[in-house]
Amino acid sequence: MNLDKLSLDELLMKRKSLRRRLRAQLTLHPVRIAVLGGSTTSAIVELLEILLLLSGFAPSFHESEYGRFYDDPVHDPRSLIEFRPDIVYIHTSCQNVPPLSPGTSEAELEVQVRSQLARFRAIWDAIDQNLACQVIQNNFERPPYAILGNRDATASGGYSRFLMRLNEAFAEEASLRPKLLIQDIHGISARVGIDNWFDWDRFFSYKILLKPAANHAVALSLNALIRSIYGKSRKVLVLDLDNTLWGGVIGDEGVDKIQIGRETPIAEAYTAFQEYCLTLRNRGILLAVCSKNMEEVARAGFEHPSSVLRLEHISCFKANWSPKHENLLEIAKALNVGTDSLVFVDDNPAERAIVEAQLPDVAVPDVGSEVSRFSSIIDAGRYFEPAGLSSEDLERAALYSTNAERVRHEAKFSDYGEYLDSLEMTAEIETFRPVYLERIAQLTNKTNQYNLTTRRYTLAEMESLSNSPTHICLFGRLTDRFGDNGLISIVVGSQHADALHLDLWLMSCRVLKRDMEFAMLDAIAHRAAARGIRFLVGTYLPSKKNAMVADHYERLGFTPQPAPTGSPEGATFWICDLNGYSDKNKHIKCQPHATPISNPRKVSESESSSGTAPERETKHGSLDRR
Amino acid sequence: MAALTADKVLAELQPIFEEALDEPGITVTRESNATNTLHWDSLSYITIIEMVSHHFNVRFTLAELQDLKKVGDLIDLVVAKANRT
């Protein structure tokens, strides 16, 4: 049975019969849990019991009387000792820590924090002495009301501030006490929402403090913590490919057409999901692929220039036409883990259903088919709760730490150029390639502001331009230290004798004021010069939206030309002599230019083609992000 | 939607009580209460109220809960609430 398929409603409506059925299983691992509550804990315990049964435990519970979370362990531990718990869970809330008076000073706040902490330390110490077992203590949610408004979080007498200080003190204690685990109710309640958290009707009636959905969230997180204590956290994320890691079917449409990157909302969503998967991998969760595809075709998807995940991130790759549950068994075997270590993510409900039926130990979250929700649904399952951060985890974390970068980012810049340099920008500027044609056509037809001529082209026209010997068609991609901006600029020029007419020049506004236009100019100038072209000719055709580029060619150092007769009103014409051209871009790292521009007419065909060799080598360098 | 009758509510309460009291086959009547019904304790009472509000999509006020003495009171309350909406 899959616990993700059980809604809270089903849990609430069927808990007793579920329990009876689950208790009948044979291979359950016994675990004894004492619950010390600051409010009535029966509702949490009932849900937790079912979740633990589904996780393969046979739990026994001992609940303190309501409100005796301090007295029982410290003054009257006899029944606790007799129960011999493996785990003590202390469930307290802001109801158990009275607010301060609004006039409390900073010094008094510290005294109060120390005194509340001492109360909890006495509980933890007593358990340590009498039971020496694992302790799970939750930290505190925000209080139900912000009596001091926004200042509740900042004033020394603020209740929110007080509880946050206590949470910080709990965290420090946890680092000193190996047997103390803090359950982050502060985070859990924030996800549920404080307005959906407290249940005052039930509190006044039976001292149950939380609403059913809140108790469910608490029980889910406890289940994950207890699984992690017993080494039962899941270890592998198994991923389908088509419409899970990228949009589209790679076998039908080809690697050029799959949706991944920054180009469309859907592509962005798949990129974000790949980034989520990579983050999990960077903290030690293995990634595996299970896809119905030809293996070579499936692998090609990871070589897409915008793919965040690379083949080296995938620990086990299964792409074939066998049923997925068979492949999952093979993946478990290859990675030397049980199927109860696997989490399987697939957008196809039929595949999820068969895996669930055939391999009940595999977690199959109901991720739906909307990629933008995958990450939060997987996250909410709490599958990968770490038992503790190993030194290996921490080393890995250090590797990816951006601390040094952050410090640099926070430093002030003496001028704008220094800021641009700090962005560590790298551009890839190349002639059109089939894999980008769709994006090129799309960017061309939707860019209105940074667009010199606002000419529109169909995909087919772009394709024929890219093969035309009399045109130079360049695209530009820009990466900086915050990530990949994707394909963001296009320049198309047509050759007329010794002049290159710039028919199209456009750029996405997301990279405004990055000097990308200078890098594009350098690239087009070098390529034109290599063909023996002497002049670049630019045109600005005003539209309702492109006023921002009226001075584009002026800024690039072009000279104004008189408008030919019959040109549209407001159009301006510009020329740039490549004789003596010097590179304009100073802040973006590009692949080296094929040929220096000295006297463009002297460059022969053979020189220019031999000159492209080193360019091709460095191209891969700039593609290989991070 | 047809108006909810007391008989219908009683019939639908049957499986809820079976589940909440963990007593398959138990018979509930208008006169059932905590003292004459097996396994009816304060915790199963909470469960019953929770399941009834969920099943009939009604909410009880604190005062209403306080006045409940037997299953018949609960049925009348549900009928009144469900037919009001």
Side-chain angles (χ1 to χ4, degrees), chain A residues 14-17 20 202, chain B residues 19-20 22 47 50 54 59:
Chain A
K14 300 201 175 117
R15 56 195 146 188
K16 296 256 166 77
S17 43
R20 204 169 335 107
R202 292 209 299 178
Chain B
E19 171 67 30
D22 204 13
T47 312
E50 224 172 77
H54 185 82
R59 275 186 68 83

Side-chain angles (χ1 to χ4, degrees), chain A residues 241 245 289 298-304 307 309-311 314 317:
Chain A
L241 297 181
L245 275 194
V289 162
R299 284 177 179 269
F302 292 87
E303 277 147 22
H304 189 288
S307 186
L309 290 175
R310 302 268 145 200
L311 282 170
I314 308 298
F317 200 106

Side-chain angles (χ1 to χ4, degrees), chain A residues 336-373:
Chain A
N336 200 19
V337 298
T339 48
D340 62 354
S341 286
L342 307 184
V343 177
F344 174 62
V345 173
D346 195 315
D347 67 296
N348 182 339
E351 298 288 7
R352 295 201 295 264
I354 188 157
V355 166
E356 220 178 351
Q358 298 296 321
L359 299 172
D361 285 345
V362 175
V364 187
D366 190 357
V367 292
S369 55
E370 193 60 64
V371 59
S372 54
R373 312 225 173 95

Side-chain angles (χ1 to χ4, degrees), chain A residues 9 12-20 40 42-43 46 63 199-202 204-206 208 212, chain B residues 16 18-24 42-47 49-52 54-55 59-62 65:
Chain A
D9 284 353
L12 290 176
M13 297 303 277
K14 300 201 175 117
R15 56 195 146 188
K16 296 256 166 77
S17 43
L18 260 175
R19 182 175 66 184
R20 204 169 335 107
T40 301
S42 59
E46 282 194 330
E63 288 179 80
D199 191 333
W200 299 115
D201 283 353
R202 292 209 299 178
F204 299 139
S205 304
Y206 346 103
I208 292 180
Chain B
I16 290 179
E18 287 181 29
E19 171 67 30
L21 305 178
D22 204 13
E23 276 293 318
S42 58
L43 285 182
S44 50
Y45 171 72
I46 298 173
T47 312
I49 294 302
E50 224 172 77
M51 291 171 77
V52 168
H54 185 82
H55 181 80
R59 275 186 68 83
F60 303 108
T61 66
L62 290 178
L65 290 176

Side-chain angles (χ1 to χ4, degrees), chain A residues 458-475:
Chain A
T458 65
L459 183 58
E461 285 167 341
M462 277 300 183
E463 205 166 355
S464 75
L465 277 183
S466 71
N467 295 321
S468 155
T470 55
H471 285 79
I472 300 178
C473 306
L474 297 184
F475 72 82

Side-chain angles (χ1 to χ4, degrees), chain A residues 144-165:
Chain A
Y145 313 109
I147 294 298
L148 299 182
N150 287 293
R151 284 197 171 76
D152 212 55
T154 54
S156 46
Y159 198 5
S160 302
R161 168 107 189 269
F162 180 36
L163 294 173
M164 286 193 289
R165 285 286 298 113

